[in-house]
Structure formats: structure tokens, C-alpha cells
Amino acid sequence: MTAPPRAVPAQEWADAFTAASNDDPEIQAHGKYFTCTYLLDATDRGYAVKVESGRVTQVTVDPGPLDVPYQFAIRASAETWRGFGERVPAPMYHGIWAATFQRDMRLEGDVLVLMQNLRCLTRQIELLRVVGPPV
């Protein structure tokens, strides 16, 4: 049995996620209208991600309930987020729809905004394979 990977400090993860997203050619090609703020919630840790015209402009670590307004939230256990962070994710950890139907992931809030930005958001979730899970 192997020990679970050690989580990086929250701000270090936020900085790596910001850089990976902002340097990603696919997001930059498709993200002209990708503007929203969403919450990645991993139970013990949360991140409010603000995106403007395809660029992450702010990541707030562990925002309080009234600190940062967001349009939608993607909530899952730390175990599920760790599954997304694997280089080759196991079945049902490869996308938010599979995890929503088969794991403990929940999509809450203005799902229309999520759907309008789905391709770029999906790519950001795929970047967890590079930067690691948020927990």
C-alpha cells in the first residue's frame, strides 16, 4: 500500500493552476468569452477561480461564504479530486460528467454559465493532471 501523495500548499497550487491555465494554448484559443467565477470545492479546501477573457486573474484560497461571489460550484471529496489529478485517471475520474453520475461530484449554481464555458472549463480540469489535485 502506498501513502497518498502529499498535497502542496494551497497558494502554491493556486499559482501553478493559474500559470498552467494562462499558458495553455487551447484555453487561449477558445477562451475569448470565458469569463466567470466558479468554486472548486474539495470539502477541506476550496478555491474561487476568477476567469476574464480566458485568463485566470485571481484564485482565492478557502473563501468564506460571502467573500467571493461565484456563478457555479463544482463540489467533490478530496478523493475524487485526487482521482482527477492522476496522469492517467481511472474510469469515472476523467471528466466532470462521469464523476457527477458515478462519483460524489456535484454541480451547483448557474449551470448555464458552466455549459457556456464547458470546453475551457473541461480543459482546466484536465490541467489537474499536470499541476496535481487541489488537495
Side-chain angles (χ1 to χ4, degrees):
M1 182 170 161
T2 61
R6 193 176 136 264
V8 298
Q11 190 58 54
E12 185 178 320
W13 181 89
D15 294 342
F17 179 78
T18 298
S21 183
N22 290 347
D23 293 342
D24 187 71
E26 183 176 337
I27 292 173
Q28 297 315 305
H30 295 287
K32 182 177 180 180
Y33 300 106
F34 180 25
T35 298
C36 66
T37 301
Y38 65 92
L39 181 71
L40 286 181
D41 181 6
T43 310
D44 296 335
R45 168 127 304 132
Y47 301 87
V49 180
K50 182 175 184 178
V51 183
E52 297 176 284
S53 301
R55 298 193 59 79
V56 174
T57 58
Q58 182 178 359
V59 177
T60 304
V61 177
D62 294 330
L66 301 175
D67 290 347
V68 180
Y70 52 87
Q71 283 76 35
F72 60 90
I74 305 173
R75 301 182 192 278
S77 67
E79 176 188 346
T80 295
W81 286 115
R82 285 185 195 107
F84 273 88
E86 295 292 325
R87 285 272 188 223
V88 179
M92 302 307 142
Y93 293 104
H94 64 282
I96 61 173
W97 301 115
T100 299
F101 295 134
Q102 298 292 321
R103 299 288 174 215
D104 65 353
M105 184 168 279
R106 296 177 321 281
L107 308 174
E108 299 174 357
D110 192 346
V111 180
L112 175 61
V113 175
L114 183 150
M115 294 301 289
Q116 290 169 331
N117 297 291
L118 185 61
R119 182 60 217 138
C120 290
L121 182 69
T122 298
R123 181 62 188 142
Q124 282 186 328
I125 299 298
E126 290 170 352
L127 290 174
L128 298 181
R129 298 173 192 164
V130 176
V131 300
V135 288

